[in-house]
Amino acid sequence: MQFSARVKRSTLIAFGGIALGLTACGGSDKKTMDPEMMPEPVMASYEVTITNVTHGQPLSPPALFLHTSDVKSWMTGSSASQGLEVLAESGSTAELLAATSTINAVSGDSVIIPGDRATYTLTAELAAEGENDIELTVVSMLVNTNDAFTGVQNWHVGEMEVMDEMKALAPVYDAGTEANVETQATIPGPAAGGEGYNIERMDTDKVSMHPGVVTQADGYAESALTQAHKFDNGAMVVVVKRVQ
């Protein structure tokens, strides 16, 4: 189950002063803001750290992106987009990022092995006044699976203050685009070296919570996976911290 919490707030964003003047208009005084004294936009920087908490499931190089609240990369019970299908079956982030309207995006350049972590930085320009509709999505494939992915999405980071943090254990989803047969021919990760993306959709065609893998340990002789590749829901810990 995904959860998030703001665990630290120590510094307020400094937006600078606002000068108000009085002008005469039709015999009455009216407060107006001097355009030359309007506060400048603020550049925000977010540090995102991903930790792989599985025993034997490497995570593909993740896609991390800032976007507006109308962007949603997946929904349980609905079909995966083609970009999400490609990521969930092969680990490639290119198509998902190309098809998504982003404010800023980063694609990891290496696999995150079990027990390891990686840190990425995303930036966005914030309006000095009013709400900032900026949200964060992070997604990665469990590479020793047919089409499992893990991620968090639509974290509202636009109103975070400097040194604020949010943290969550990201659940594991099934893209529903490829049957979880676990065979050597269909697992693209190091456990099997099989096929990655396949254009055909051969499963429910609905995103759902992943039921987990069966493996040889439970008597499934055709599986290329071992007990080391099993996972409970929760594959990576994601921490986002506003550092600027």
Side-chain angles (χ1 to χ4, degrees):
M1 181 177 295
Q2 179 176 322
F3 64 93
S4 63
R6 298 177 69 173
V7 298
K8 183 175 181 182
R9 175 181 293 178
S10 60
T11 306
L12 295 178
I13 305 171
F15 291 137
I18 298 174
L20 297 178
L22 294 177
T23 61
C25 181
S28 63
D29 290 337
K30 181 180 180 181
K31 288 185 177 182
T32 60
M33 185 176 293
D34 184 346
E36 294 184 358
M37 297 299 291
M38 289 285 287
E40 294 293 328
V42 175
M43 184 59 69
S45 182
Y46 303 95
E47 189 176 84
V48 184
T49 299
I50 296 171
T51 303
N52 184 337
V53 295
T54 71
H55 178 70
Q57 283 286 348
L59 299 177
S60 67
L64 307 91
F65 46 100
L66 299 174
H67 54 86
T68 53
S69 57
D70 59 323
V71 173
K72 196 169 184 68
S73 297
W74 66 87
M75 184 180 295
T76 55
S78 297
S79 295
S81 66
Q82 185 172 338
L84 182 62
E85 177 186 11
V86 172
L87 184 146
E89 293 183 13
S90 72
S92 173
T93 63
E95 189 157 348
L96 177 64
L97 291 178
T100 303
S101 178
T102 65
I103 296 168
N104 187 217
V106 173
S107 182
D109 58 7
S110 60
V111 168
I112 306 173
I113 63 174
D116 208 352
R117 67 182 59 183
T119 299
Y120 310 88
T121 300
L122 293 162
T123 59
E125 188 177 87
L126 304 183
E129 290 187 330
E131 294 184 2
N132 284 283
D133 182 18
I134 300 175
E135 299 190 343
L136 170 71
T137 292
V138 180
V139 58
S140 174
M141 178 194 181
L142 281 69
V143 300
N144 286 324
T145 66
N146 286 99
D147 62 343
F149 69 96
T150 181
V152 297
Q153 66 173 334
N154 295 93
W155 279 10
H156 187 66
V157 298
E159 302 304 316
M160 291 179 72
E161 298 175 357
V162 176
M163 303 310 292
D164 274 2
E165 287 186 1
M166 286 191 282
K167 180 179 182 179
L169 175 64
V172 182
Y173 298 92
D174 190 326
T177 58
E178 183 173 303
N180 299 325
V181 293
E182 301 179 19
T183 61
Q184 186 170 2
T186 63
I187 297 288
E195 180 185 57
Y197 171 61
N198 187 314
I199 194 170
E200 293 185 53
R201 297 203 172 192
M202 300 173 287
D203 200 12
T204 63
D205 199 21
K206 293 181 180 179
V207 176
S208 63
M209 302 307 296
H210 203 287
V213 293
V214 180
T215 82
Q216 301 166 13
D218 286 333
Y220 180 27
E222 294 182 14
S223 176
L225 307 181
T226 70
Q227 187 170 0
H229 301 118
K230 289 193 172 189
F231 51 86
D232 293 323
N233 238 298
M236 68 180 179
V237 172
V238 180
V239 179
V240 57
K241 181 177 182 179
R242 183 176 169 191
V243 295
Q244 175 185 333

